[in-house]
Coordinates of all heavy atoms in Angstrom, one line a residue:
Y3 N 243.0 -74.5 153.2 CA 243.1 -73.3 154.0 C 243.0 -72.0 153.1 O 243.5 -71.9 152.0 CB 244.4 -73.3 154.7 CG 244.5 -74.3 155.9 CD1 244.7 -75.6 155.7 CD2 244.2 -73.8 157.2 CE1 244.7 -76.5 156.8 CE2 244.2 -74.7 158.2 CZ 244.4 -76.0 158.0 OH 244.4 -76.9 159.1
F4 N 242.2 -71.1 153.7 CA 242.1 -69.8 153.2 C 243.3 -69.0 153.7 O 243.7 -69.0 154.9 CB 240.8 -69.1 153.6 CG 240.4 -67.9 152.9 CD1 239.5 -68.0 151.8 CD2 240.8 -66.7 153.2 CE1 239.1 -66.9 151.1 CE2 240.4 -65.6 152.5 CZ 239.5 -65.7 151.4
M5 N 244.0 -68.2 152.8 CA 245.2 -67.5 153.2 C 245.1 -66.0 153.0 O 244.4 -65.5 152.1 CB 246.4 -67.9 152.3 CG 246.7 -69.4 152.4 SD 247.3 -69.9 154.0 CE 248.8 -69.0 154.0
G6 N 245.7 -65.3 153.9 CA 245.7 -63.8 153.9 C 247.1 -63.2 154.2 O 247.9 -63.9 154.8
W7 N 247.3 -62.0 153.8 CA 248.5 -61.2 154.1 C 248.0 -60.0 154.9 O 247.1 -59.3 154.5 CB 249.3 -60.8 152.9 CG 250.1 -61.9 152.3 CD1 249.8 -62.6 151.2 CD2 251.4 -62.3 152.7 NE1 250.8 -63.5 150.9 CE2 251.8 -63.3 151.8 CE3 252.3 -61.9 153.7 CZ2 253.1 -63.9 151.9 CZ3 253.6 -62.5 153.8 CH2 253.9 -63.5 152.9
F8 N 248.7 -59.7 156.0 CA 248.5 -58.5 156.8 C 249.8 -57.8 157.0 O 250.9 -58.4 156.8 CB 247.9 -58.9 158.2 CG 246.5 -59.4 158.1 CD1 246.2 -60.7 157.7 CD2 245.4 -58.5 158.5 CE1 244.9 -61.1 157.6 CE2 244.1 -59.0 158.4 CZ 243.8 -60.3 158.0
R9 N 249.8 -56.5 157.4 CA 251.0 -55.8 157.8 C 250.7 -54.9 158.9 O 249.6 -54.5 159.2 CB 251.5 -55.0 156.6 CG 250.5 -53.8 156.1 CD 251.0 -53.2 154.8 NE 250.2 -52.1 154.4 CZ 250.3 -51.4 153.3 NH1 251.3 -51.8 152.4 NH2 249.6 -50.4 153.0
Q10 N 251.8 -54.6 159.7 CA 251.7 -53.7 160.8 C 252.9 -52.8 160.9 O 254.0 -53.3 161.0 CB 251.6 -54.6 162.1 CG 251.3 -53.7 163.3 CD 250.8 -54.6 164.5 OE1 251.1 -55.8 164.5 NE2 250.1 -54.0 165.5
A11 N 252.6 -51.5 160.8 CA 253.7 -50.5 161.0 C 253.7 -50.0 162.4 O 252.8 -50.1 163.2 CB 253.3 -49.3 160.0
P12 N 254.9 -49.4 162.8 CA 255.0 -48.9 164.2 C 253.9 -47.9 164.5 O 253.6 -47.0 163.7 CB 256.3 -48.2 164.2 CG 257.1 -48.9 163.1 CD 256.1 -49.2 162.0
G13 N 253.2 -48.1 165.7 CA 252.2 -47.2 166.1 C 250.8 -47.4 165.4 O 249.9 -46.6 165.7
K14 N 250.7 -48.4 164.6 CA 249.5 -48.7 163.9 C 248.9 -50.1 164.2 O 249.7 -51.0 164.6 CB 249.6 -48.5 162.4 CG 250.0 -47.1 162.0 CD 250.1 -46.9 160.5 CE 250.4 -45.5 160.0 NZ 250.5 -45.4 158.5
E15 N 247.6 -50.3 163.9 CA 247.0 -51.6 164.1 C 247.4 -52.5 162.9 O 247.8 -52.0 161.8 CB 245.5 -51.4 164.2 CG 245.0 -50.7 165.4 CD 243.5 -50.6 165.5 OE1 242.8 -50.9 164.4 OE2 243.0 -50.3 166.5
R16 N 247.2 -53.8 163.1 CA 247.5 -54.7 162.0 C 246.5 -54.5 160.9 O 245.3 -54.4 161.2 CB 247.4 -56.1 162.5 CG 247.9 -57.2 161.5 CD 248.3 -58.5 162.2 NE 249.4 -58.3 163.2 CZ 250.0 -59.3 163.8 NH1 249.5 -60.6 163.6 NH2 251.0 -59.1 164.6
E17 N 247.0 -54.3 159.7 CA 246.2 -53.9 158.5 C 246.1 -55.0 157.5 O 247.1 -55.7 157.1 CB 246.8 -52.7 157.9 CG 246.1 -52.2 156.7 CD 246.9 -51.1 156.0 OE1 248.1 -51.0 156.2 OE2 246.3 -50.3 155.2
F18 N 244.9 -55.3 157.0 CA 244.6 -56.2 155.9 C 245.3 -55.8 154.6 O 245.2 -54.6 154.3 CB 243.1 -56.5 155.7 CG 242.8 -57.3 154.5 CD1 242.9 -58.7 154.6 CD2 242.4 -56.7 153.3 CE1 242.6 -59.5 153.5 CE2 242.1 -57.5 152.2 CZ 242.2 -58.9 152.3
V19 N 245.9 -56.7 153.9 CA 246.5 -56.4 152.7 C 245.9 -57.2 151.5 O 245.4 -56.5 150.5 CB 248.0 -56.7 152.7 CG1 248.7 -56.5 151.3 CG2 248.8 -55.9 153.8
A20 N 245.8 -58.5 151.6 CA 245.2 -59.3 150.5 C 244.8 -60.7 151.0 O 245.3 -61.1 152.1 CB 246.3 -59.4 149.4
A21 N 244.0 -61.3 150.3 CA 243.5 -62.7 150.7 C 243.3 -63.5 149.4 O 243.0 -62.9 148.4 CB 242.3 -62.7 151.5
I22 N 243.3 -64.8 149.6 CA 243.1 -65.7 148.4 C 242.4 -67.0 148.9 O 242.7 -67.5 150.0 CB 244.5 -66.0 147.8 CG1 244.3 -66.8 146.5 CG2 245.4 -66.8 148.7 CD1 245.6 -66.9 145.6
S23 N 241.5 -67.5 148.1 CA 240.8 -68.7 148.4 C 241.6 -69.9 148.3 O 242.8 -69.9 147.8 CB 239.5 -68.8 147.5 OG 239.9 -69.0 146.2
W24 N 241.1 -71.0 148.8 CA 241.9 -72.3 148.8 C 242.3 -72.7 147.4 O 243.4 -73.3 147.2 CB 241.1 -73.4 149.5 CG 239.9 -73.8 148.8 CD1 238.6 -73.3 149.0 CD2 239.8 -74.8 147.8 NE1 237.7 -73.9 148.2 CE2 238.4 -74.9 147.4 CE3 240.7 -75.7 147.2 CZ2 237.9 -75.8 146.5 CZ3 240.2 -76.6 146.2 CH2 238.8 -76.6 145.9
S25 N 241.5 -72.5 146.4 CA 241.8 -72.9 145.1 C 242.6 -71.8 144.3 O 243.1 -72.1 143.2 CB 240.5 -73.1 144.3 OG 239.7 -71.9 144.1
G26 N 242.7 -70.6 144.8 CA 243.4 -69.5 144.1 C 242.5 -68.8 143.1 O 242.9 -67.9 142.5
G27 N 241.2 -69.2 143.0 CA 240.3 -68.7 142.1 C 239.6 -67.3 142.5 O 239.0 -66.7 141.7
W28 N 239.8 -67.0 143.7 CA 239.2 -65.7 144.2 C 240.2 -65.0 145.0 O 240.9 -65.6 145.9 CB 238.0 -66.1 145.1 CG 237.2 -64.9 145.6 CD1 236.2 -64.2 145.0 CD2 237.5 -64.2 146.8 NE1 235.8 -63.2 145.7 CE2 236.5 -63.1 146.9 CE3 238.4 -64.3 147.8 CZ2 236.5 -62.2 147.9 CZ3 238.3 -63.4 148.9 CH2 237.4 -62.4 148.9
T29 N 240.4 -63.7 144.8 CA 241.3 -62.8 145.5 C 240.6 -61.5 145.9 O 239.7 -61.1 145.3 CB 242.6 -62.5 144.7 OG1 242.2 -61.9 143.5 CG2 243.4 -63.8 144.4
Y30 N 241.2 -60.9 147.0 CA 240.6 -59.7 147.4 C 241.8 -58.8 148.0 O 242.7 -59.3 148.6 CB 239.6 -59.9 148.6 CG 238.9 -58.7 149.1 CD1 237.9 -58.1 148.3 CD2 239.3 -58.1 150.3 CE1 237.3 -56.9 148.8 CE2 238.7 -57.0 150.8 CZ 237.7 -56.4 150.0 OH 237.1 -55.3 150.5
Y31 N 241.7 -57.5 147.7 CA 242.8 -56.6 148.0 C 242.3 -55.4 148.7 O 241.2 -54.9 148.5 CB 243.6 -56.1 146.8 CG 244.2 -57.2 146.0 CD1 243.6 -57.9 145.0 CD2 245.5 -57.6 146.3 CE1 244.2 -58.9 144.2 CE2 246.2 -58.6 145.6 CZ 245.5 -59.3 144.6 OH 246.1 -60.3 143.8

């Protein structure tokens, strides 16, 4: 599984924070 973190503040849309590949060898922020 590919994993990501998102966040959502009051009055705002859900926002991308970070993601990581299944092996952990690739990340994006």
